[in-house]
Amino acid sequence: MKRILIKCGGSVLDQLSSEFFESIEELVKKGYQIVFVHGGGPDINQMLEKMNVTPVFVNGLRKTDEETLRVVEMVLSGKTNRKLVEKLTNNKLHAIGVNGSDAGLFEAEYVNKEELGFVGEIHSVNESIIKLLLSKGIIPVITPIALAQDGKKLNVNADYAAAAIANALKVEHCLFVTDVDGIRINGKIQPEITMKDINHHIKSGEIYGGMIPKVQSALSALKKGVESVMIVSGKNRFFSDHNWQGTKIIGKEMVIQ
């Protein structure tokens, strides 16, 4: 079965265009099963600001105490997830929102409870739940919230959650949706690039500014074992007539000898 995992960062959700959803509709017609996982950083930060809570990050991961976790889950499940499901539904795609902690979908371990609080790393994905929805022609839209062995909910980096699902389902394509058409080097979109090349282009300054966090987001999934990630635009069509538009990042060449 052909499957595609699509990861949407919270910052790009409001920019998703009708052309983007047309690509998904075409993929569905061609027999692909689609799974979404999403973040919600901007909405979470906005809510924390309203509550006078200052966000704290350690090595790129959000430090999450009990109060922050309540906000994270409320925003991800109650706002961001609803927003993405509604957009899919409005574009004639059957979708349902799923919290990653429901029915043991994501089981995780604490990354470092003392330093990060309720932040987890997924060690198990109950893919049978996802496959059940896919078999009914439904697109699961999943929040990166997991369940720990002690029954506590854990906040999971959305990039890592995407990698966990991609590995569990053995997806054919793992797409990271951004606000750009791909990685540009010397003004030209690169159809394919390796992790090694990306690190070189960052050091040389050819990948710079807002493009750096976009590629680092994709690299984080590759480092979790995904073979390749494609950066695509949420503003335009990324698939049409069997042709993909974007940059495919391959991770195999990063094996250290």
Side-chain angles (χ1 to χ4, degrees):
M1 183 59 66
K2 301 185 294 183
R3 298 191 181 108
I4 294 175
L5 185 283
I6 301 178
K7 184 261 175 176
C8 267
S11 60
V12 79
L13 283 179
D14 290 324
Q15 302 178 56
L16 298 178
S17 69
S18 58
E19 289 82 7
F20 171 80
F21 292 106
E22 284 170 9
S23 289
I24 296 175
E25 190 176 6
E26 184 174 344
L27 287 167
V28 170
K29 287 178 179 176
K30 292 187 181 300
Y32 282 96
Q33 294 180 333
I34 311 292
V35 180
F36 272 85
V37 65
H38 65 85
D43 286 339
I44 292 168
N45 289 338
Q46 188 178 47
M47 182 60 71
L48 289 173
E49 187 178 348
K50 287 181 180 178
M51 298 175 68
N52 295 315
V53 178
T54 303
V56 177
F57 291 86
V58 180
N59 296 324
L61 298 175
R62 184 187 297 274
K63 187 173 182 178
T64 308
D65 57 16
E66 287 193 11
E67 182 183 19
T68 302
L69 181 63
R70 281 194 291 271
V71 172
V72 167
E73 184 174 22
M74 176 180 67
V75 172
L76 287 176
S77 303
K79 182 179 181 181
T80 317
N81 189 275
R82 296 292 86 211
K83 188 189 301 182
L84 183 49
V85 170
E86 183 179 358
K87 285 178 178 288
L88 286 159
T89 302
N90 289 343
N91 284 276
K92 303 174 185 175
L93 293 157
H94 300 293
I96 190 167
V98 182
N99 214 26
S101 59
D102 293 346
L105 177 55
F106 292 150
E107 293 183 0
E109 298 172 348
Y110 289 88
V111 173
N112 185 322
K113 194 172 183 179
E114 190 174 326
E115 281 190 9
L116 290 166
F118 296 94
V119 175
E121 182 167 3
I122 296 169
H123 64 76
S124 175
V125 176
N126 185 352
E127 67 262 32
S128 62
I129 297 171
I130 302 174
K131 289 177 179 177
L132 178 62
L133 292 170
L134 293 174
S135 71
K136 302 296 183 183
I138 299 171
I139 298 174
V141 181
I142 303 170
T143 65
I145 302 288
L147 205 61
Q149 276 194 329
D150 61 7
K152 298 287 187 181
K153 292 177 181 177
L154 300 178
N155 183 21
V156 177
N157 179 287
D159 301 333
Y160 298 166
I165 297 172
N167 287 326
L169 292 179
K170 297 178 173 56
V171 300
E172 190 169 311
H173 297 285
C174 184
L175 309 182
F176 274 49
V177 183
T178 69
D179 58 357
V180 296
D181 292 323
I183 299 173
R184 290 184 184 273
I185 304 296
N186 296 324
K188 294 182 179 179
I189 295 288
Q190 304 298 299
E192 193 168 288
I193 194 169
T194 66
M195 287 177 69
K196 184 177 179 180
D197 288 336
I198 283 177
N199 291 326
H200 167 75
H201 290 310
I202 290 175
K203 288 178 182 177
S204 70
E206 292 166 299
I207 294 177
Y208 59 91
M211 195 65 221
I212 292 178
K214 291 179 178 66
V215 298
Q216 287 177 336
S217 181
L219 294 183
S220 66
L222 291 166
K223 290 171 184 175
K224 291 291 182 180
V226 179
E227 287 190 7
S228 69
V229 170
M230 179 170 281
I231 290 183
V232 301
S233 173
K235 295 180 175 182
N236 304 305
R237 287 191 73 114
F238 62 87
F239 182 82
S240 180
D241 296 328
H242 299 281
N243 293 315
W244 294 89
Q245 304 296 324
T247 299
K248 186 176 184 179
I249 307 173
I250 301 169
K252 289 181 179 178
E253 289 192 20
M254 283 304 290
V255 176
I256 299 173
Q257 300 296 327

